[in-house]
Amino acid sequence: MQNELQKVFSRYQGRRDELIPILQDIQDALGYLPAEAMNAAADFLKLPASAVFGVASFYDQLHTAPQGRHSVSVCEGTSCHIRGSAQILRAIEKKFALKPGQTTPDHMFTLERVACFGLCAMSPVVMVDGRLYGNMSPAKVLKLIEKLE
Amino acid sequence: MTFAEIQKRAEATWRQFRGGPGALVLVGDASCGRAAGSSEVIDAIRSELGKIGKQARVVSVGCLGICYAEPLVEIALPGTASVLYGKVTPAAAKELARWHVGKGEPRADLALATTNGASLDGVPRLEDLPMMQGQARLLTRNCGRIAPDNIDHYIANGGYQGLAKALTMSPEDVITEVERSGLRGRGGVGFPTGRKWRFVYEAAGSSKHIVANAEEGEPGTFKDRFLLESDPHALLEGMLIAGYAVGAGEGHIFVQAHYPALARTLRTAINQAYELGLCGAHALGADFSFELELRTGISSYVCGEETGLLESLESKRPVPRARPPYPAQAGLWAEPTVVNNVETLANAPLILERGADAFRSLGAADSPGAKLFTLAGDVSRPGVVEFPLGVTLRRLIEGAGGGLPEGAGLGAVLLGGIAGGFLPPEYLDTPVDFDSLQPAGAMMGTGAILVADESRCVLDILLNQLEFLSDESCGKCVPCRLGARQMLNIVKAITEGRGRATDVENLKRIGAAMKVASACGLGQAAPNPVLSAIRHFGSVYEAHIGRGVCPAGVCPMHGERKQA
Ligand SMILES: Cc1cc2nc3c(=O)[nH]c(=O)nc-3n(C[C@H](O)[C@H](O)[C@H](O)COP(=O)(O)O)c2cc1C
């Protein structure tokens, strides 16, 4: 891990306002933000560890725990809600005994609930590994998940 | 290169693009196109062309706003009608490659519209489609027509002329022109843009900033994504004009985390602007230098609030700041800063190029210009349209949007995402602009128009919004943090059949307190949907609380669904 961290830090000057890009880079390298990495970032930027954790814990896109190999995000925006996103979420929750924010025991995927993808013309919408799918139904989404390996 | 040389080169590129040899196949490849399968369509066209041994230029473009008919494919082949095809499946794409490209025979049966005025068996012209009729097509002029990753396409269609013009004027004259246009911020609040620029121009300090707010966190809103995916240089040019006007040396674009495709598009656009010397040191050889920076991948709803956004750019938690001082005095790194919405900034090139009077010639007196509206929910033709401000809801929903699917009755309209409020069908003929909806207790906000048919329950939608708001409250001020949670608990109880006679009164009291006591617009606007629903849909509350029934049969009353 030290190697990866040093590589990230070498691209920055150590200014406080670089914290978010640094955390993004660390997460890209390690998949999440282990406590050790957040402490190292705090040392590098001469910040209290609490300031780093405060930022890491605020933003949904920064993860302080390991994530699944894949990500499945269900949009819960108002448009998707009107068009039935709750049924999609429920179907996934039921089939995999999983709540939003949790990862399957085999680390296959992490389920997320997202505020709005801004793809409201194609509601309901899910994102699987960064790819958006529109006009979804519970059955279509479960099929997409089954294809993950 | 001088700007004239840049333009000349761009025009040659564009002529080659539109008129070059062989067929031109444009595929709508913005997020809406992708989500509908544009990648598979591109693959199908390429493979079929290979099979029949035909050459064609297959090019990804943005979105025309006709999102409901994605994937869209436009085929232009000299000597034939140029045709826009909608809802193209991979199988249909192969047909199009075989017939229109291969044999020069357009397929009227699969066509949505013609795009070069040619006639084809009863197929309407693009501008005659019901969704397009009456639209202004100013900000949208390039959307879906040019390749967003090619700066020459933008320049050949008039791009960067507004900047070139501004650079021949004094900064103060640029600000005066924007003031005269009457442009008001498109991020939801409607603050006069020229006045904001003048504050920053007059603020003391040599280091100033332009921040483009591309957070677009308001659920139901997707106009900024649409514009940036389809025509990213409109924003960059607007930022450059703003920077020149106020004397800023840096521009920052803050992009919503859930718009990953946009990050790439904007990165490419910025690199191209640098390559042509449109930004960086001595933009277009003028005594004006401007650096552009991009922040992507991290955001949350409260990052859209301008001071929360500034905190986030400084790598902090996006907790809104106390005001005064306002960003115009002490913004990014405590330096004078313009924070503007994407759509606001994208209007600046048009105002400079065509003049304030041309801008004012559309729209309402106090809300001049045209505006992007996003249509979603229970509407037949969801997508993005551009109308003069003051257009009625009826025109937007029934005209452009084609009404409700399968002839369903209109239940409610939600405006401006969360903060705008609910309106019942009686208000369909109210003009939509910054001020006209206020007597009805609603706001145009971002221009999001979310339609709910009669089978939906207003309280169920409200519950979704309150879950969102209580999740997204940053937690700093008590009225917002606790108020949103309390409203959520009360509405949840009502939808579960546990409503009490005092609930409506309590919601009103909490809402009133949040409006006056919350530290930022999030908490101040959070009661809007609750209060507007009480005002216009009081009988729905009454049925849930008084009779224990969800009239729409949606809410889990008493743990089970109960039909009225
Ligand atoms: C909770 C909250 C969220 C906001 N989200 C956005 C947003 O996503 N995009 C935006 O442009 N403005 C947003 N605003 C408004 C901004 O604070 C600010 O008024 C706007 O960026 C100014 O730009 P304009 O004058 O060009 O509209 C939000 C405000 C609040 C209170």
Side-chain angles (χ1 to χ4, degrees):
Chain A
M1 182 190 306
Q2 278 310 320
N3 271 344
E4 278 101 341
L5 292 176
Q6 287 319 315
K7 227 190 260 162
V8 169
F9 296 149
S10 70
R11 295 197 289 268
Y12 293 91
Q13 283 144 39
R15 291 198 322 264
R16 200 236 169 274
D17 60 275
E18 293 170 335
L19 174 59
I20 285 180
I22 287 174
L23 293 180
Q24 288 176 294
D25 283 2
I26 295 176
Q27 182 163 291
D28 279 348
L30 304 177
Y32 75 110
L33 299 171
E36 197 185 330
M38 286 191 277
N39 286 330
D43 290 343
F44 176 64
L45 297 174
K46 303 191 183 55
L47 283 173
S50 61
V52 175
F53 186 74
V55 167
S57 60
F58 191 99
Y59 295 98
D60 288 348
Q61 300 85 23
L62 295 175
H63 307 295
T64 52
Q67 301 292 292
R69 286 195 296 287
H70 302 279
S71 74
V72 176
S73 307
V74 179
C75 185
E76 260 290 295
T78 318
S79 172
C80 285
H81 179 76
I82 291 178
R83 309 288 293 174
S85 60
Q87 284 89 302
I88 291 178
L89 202 56
R90 228 175 288 138
I92 304 173
E93 287 178 354
K94 203 168 144 216
K95 171 128 192 215
F96 297 95
L98 206 59
K99 289 267 165 240
Q102 294 180 341
T103 302
T104 53
D106 61 357
H107 284 274
M108 181 61 84
F109 72 93
T110 303
L111 178 64
E112 300 276 2
R113 218 182 114 157
V114 163
C116 182
F117 280 121
L119 202 72
C120 318
M122 336 284 288
S123 293
V125 173
V126 300
M127 186 187 259
V128 179
D129 292 336
R131 181 169 172 183
L132 288 160
Y133 296 86
N135 301 316
M136 285 288 107
S137 65
K140 284 191 204 165
V141 175
L142 291 179
K143 228 188 192 156
L144 284 175
I145 296 178
E146 268 161 31
K147 280 200 240 146
L148 298 177
E149 43 189 59
Chain B
M1 263 196 289
T2 65
F3 187 57
E5 286 162 356
I6 291 173
Q7 281 180 306
K8 216 166 144 200
R9 194 198 73 171
E11 275 151 22
T13 309
W14 178 251
R15 265 198 308 276
Q16 180 70 17
F17 175 70
R18 286 304 312 191
L24 176 62
V25 180
L26 304 181
V27 183
D29 206 16
S31 293
C32 49
R34 294 239 173 109
S38 60
S39 307
E40 286 79 1
V41 165
I42 292 173
D43 290 346
I45 293 174
R46 290 223 164 99
S47 91
E48 190 63 22
L49 288 173
K51 224 187 265 168
I52 61 176
K54 276 272 176 189
Q55 298 282 332
R57 291 164 296 137
V58 183
V59 179
S60 289
V61 293
C63 174
L64 283 161
I66 312 178
C67 308
Y68 79 95
E70 295 283 2
L72 288 167
V73 174
E74 182 183 347
I75 299 181
L77 177 65
T80 70
S82 296
V83 179
L84 182 68
Y85 299 95
K87 297 193 177 167
V88 177
T89 59
K94 290 189 174 175
E95 293 280 299
L96 297 178
R98 210 154 46 232
W99 287 87
H100 195 159
V101 179
K103 305 185 182 172
E105 291 179 33
R107 288 286 299 263
D109 57 325
L110 299 171
L112 193 65
T114 59
T115 55
N116 64 347
S119 73
L120 175 72
D121 294 344
V123 177
R125 297 183 311 169
L126 181 61
E127 55 273 30
D128 294 334
L129 284 181
M131 191 170 188
M132 304 302 266
Q133 275 173 33
Q135 282 203 42
R137 305 310 282 185
L138 291 168
L139 285 174
T140 48
R141 66 197 181 281
N142 293 325
C143 298
R145 292 183 56 243
I146 68 170
D149 61 1
N150 193 328
I151 190 171
D152 282 342
H153 289 191
Y154 179 69
I155 294 173
N157 285 282
Y160 287 105
Q161 279 180 27
L163 173 67
K165 172 114 173 268
L167 292 176
T168 66
M169 298 160 64
S170 74
E172 199 155 8
D173 286 348
V174 174
I175 293 174
T176 305
E177 193 69 8
V178 175
E179 278 172 340
R180 267 198 342 108
S181 76
L183 172 66
R184 294 172 68 177
R186 284 1 188 187
V189 184
F191 190 83
T193 306
R195 198 187 305 164
K196 188 183 278 187
W197 290 14
R198 189 172 292 280
F199 285 149
V200 176
Y201 172 74
E202 286 171 353
S206 56
S207 175
K208 300 179 182 179
H209 309 271
I210 306 296
V211 172
N213 188 344
E215 159 58 21
E216 192 157 64
E218 203 64 73
T221 309
F222 47 103
K223 66 187 181 76
D224 297 335
R225 171 186 63 69
F226 155 85
L227 193 59
L228 291 174
E229 284 188 333
S230 305
D231 197 16
H233 285 284
L235 172 67
L236 305 193
E237 187 182 357
M239 292 178 76
L240 281 154
I241 292 170
Y244 175 72
V246 307
E250 279 179 18
H252 305 262
I253 308 174
F254 186 96
V255 184
Q256 207 215 107
H258 298 126
Y259 289 171
L262 206 48
R264 284 187 294 277
T265 306
L266 282 168
R267 175 69 57 210
T268 306
I270 291 172
N271 290 342
Q272 291 174 346
Y274 269 102
E275 275 162 27
L276 289 186
L278 293 160
C279 59
H282 299 290
L284 284 177
D287 183 20
F288 165 59
S289 300
F290 196 74
E291 306 296 333
L292 276 169
E293 286 183 27
L294 192 58
R295 170 66 69 81
T296 62
I298 291 282
S299 69
S300 80
Y301 182 56
V302 76
C303 289
E305 197 282 336
E306 57 187 11
T307 61
L309 190 157
L310 296 173
E311 290 288 297
S312 192
L313 275 178
E314 293 180 7
S315 276
K316 299 184 190 138
R317 289 162 75 94
V319 175
R321 299 175 181 173
R323 271 147 292 183
Y326 290 89
Q329 274 78 47
L332 193 59
W333 297 300
E335 295 172 340
T337 302
V338 171
V339 183
N340 269 144
N341 173 257
V342 167
E343 185 186 350
T344 311
L345 288 162
N347 269 298
L350 289 170
I351 293 168
L352 266 293
E353 186 200 329
R354 300 172 191 209
D357 293 325
F359 183 83
R360 293 202 71 96
S361 69
L362 287 181
D366 292 328
S367 297
K371 171 90 188 72
L372 299 177
F373 293 96
T374 50
L375 304 171
D378 295 320
V379 62
S380 297
R381 292 191 285 263
V384 189
V385 294
E386 181 179 19
F387 277 91
L389 280 164
V391 60
T392 62
L393 279 173
R394 189 182 299 285
R395 184 80 199 252
L396 290 168
I397 295 171
E398 293 179 1
L404 283 76
E406 285 134 37
L410 175 61
V413 182
L414 263 118
L415 289 161
I418 299 281
F422 290 88
L423 280 180
E426 293 90 276
Y427 287 90
L428 273 181
D429 293 307
T430 317
V432 186
D433 58 32
F434 285 106
D435 313 301
S436 300
L437 292 158
Q438 261 162 24
M443 270 189 344
M444 174 178 78
T446 57
I449 311 279
L450 207 51
V451 180
D453 73 27
E454 285 168 326
S455 75
R456 318 291 178 189
C457 175
V458 165
L459 290 184
D460 172 68
I461 299 172
L462 196 54
L463 188 60
N464 167 266
Q465 301 194 320
L466 289 171
E467 280 171 355
F468 172 80
L469 287 165
S470 64
D471 273 358
E472 298 295 335
S473 170
C474 80
K476 179 187 172 192
C477 75
V478 176
C480 176
R481 183 179 72 228
L482 297 188
R485 174 66 51 182
Q486 280 304 326
M487 291 198 303
L488 169 63
N489 288 345
I490 294 173
V491 172
K492 192 160 199 312
I494 297 175
T495 61
E496 288 172 357
R498 296 182 284 114
R500 288 173 308 185
T502 49
D503 282 347
V504 169
E505 217 34 58
N506 280 335
L507 285 172
K508 282 187 188 165
R509 280 175 48 215
I510 296 168
M514 288 177 75
K515 267 179 185 291
V516 295
S518 296
C520 88
L522 199 162
Q524 289 159 11
N528 288 357
V530 180
L531 299 177
S532 64
I534 290 175
R535 173 162 166 189
H536 298 296
F537 297 90
S539 65
V540 179
Y541 279 96
E542 214 293 305
H544 284 74
I545 299 171
R547 293 189 281 127
V549 172
C550 172
V554 171
C555 295
M557 307 294 289
H558 311 294
E560 66 201 80
R561 275 158 197 269
K562 219 176 188 182
Q563 220 63 44

